[in-house]
Amino acid sequence: SAVTISASGLPSGVTVKYKNNPIPAPGSGTAQMQISVSSTATTGIATITLTGTGGGLTETATVKIDVTN
């Protein structure tokens, strides 16, 4: 089945945009995630949790970003 990717834990002013999301069935392939930071974003180190869901399974990974002015 297809795999859908989502991100949580984004600081204020930080957004993500995906290319190739969901990844079509059978869930083998790649997706790209672009992180955008506004000039008013909350600064500091943030941990973003990436979640992939499909076929009754859920997998997570974390990414740390350092938002500076």
Side-chain angles (χ1 to χ4, degrees), residues 41-69:
T42 302
T43 58
I45 297 174
T47 301
I48 299 172
T49 300
L50 304 175
T51 304
T53 305
L57 300 173
T58 300
E59 296 287 337
T60 61
T62 57
V63 176
K64 289 190 181 214
I65 62 170
D66 188 359
V67 180
T68 60
N69 285 349

Side-chain angles (χ1 to χ4, degrees), residues 14-58:
V14 177
T15 58
V16 295
K17 185 168 53 171
Y18 302 96
K19 182 177 180 183
N20 301 331
N21 188 32
I23 301 169
S28 59
T30 60
Q32 295 176 354
M33 180 178 77
Q34 176 182 342
I35 300 173
S36 299
V37 180
S38 74
S39 61
T40 59
T42 302
T43 58
I45 297 174
T47 301
I48 299 172
T49 300
L50 304 175
T51 304
T53 305
L57 300 173
T58 300

